[in-house]
Amino acid sequence: MAKLKVYDMAAKEVGEIELSDDLFAVPYNEALIHEAVVAYNANQRQGTKSALTRSEVRGHAKKPWRQKKTGRARHGSTKGPQWTGGGVVFAPKPRDFSKKMNKTAKRLALLSAISTKIAEGGVTVLDKFEIASAKTKDAQAFMNAFKFAGKTVVVNDQNSAEIKRATANIKNLDIEEIDLLNVYEVVANKNVVLTKSAIKSIEEAYAE
């Protein structure tokens, strides 16, 4: 079993934690991680853009003037795309961009991403993440204590309103609850901070 040091909010070592090799030493699986990231990004797309075709715009299909001897171009309707207020050619319509992964593949992709991040030294374990003051300066003090460079995500069991308020205005700091943790968050952030309670939740949820 791998061992990681446990720190407090001031970056002081307060102990060690043993991590199960079955969960936190999973081999790197690039294909599954890629699939999970693509699925996550696809599922963020709303697909709600829409425009009206010539059959849907308001108006009527009456011929605006006779076919010949007017000196003007021939038209069959004022709802055509060449008219102001007419329909759109190949108009975009709402569509579903979502992609699905089966549960086993999603589980393996997440564990593989976390295991790889641990092997690269990108995971920090916190005893607990608490900011009772709800002040941005206290959240920034946490970042300064660990000297984090680059994007950082803190994964907690639960995030209080004070934590959310304190971290809202820090550009490179994101917070996530363990129930919502996904492969994209692990891959996209240079530093992943896991609380002991978050690790316990992972062990309870993914242990076979």
Side-chain angles (χ1 to χ4, degrees), residues 117-139:
K117 187 69 73 171
I118 291 174
E120 294 172 348
V123 172
T124 302
V125 181
L126 274 186
D127 182 32
K128 55 185 176 180
F129 186 72
E130 292 181 347
I131 305 177
S133 65
K135 292 184 178 179
T136 302
K137 68 176 183 180
D138 291 334

Side-chain angles (χ1 to χ4, degrees), residues 26 48 71 152:
V26 176
T48 54
T152 301

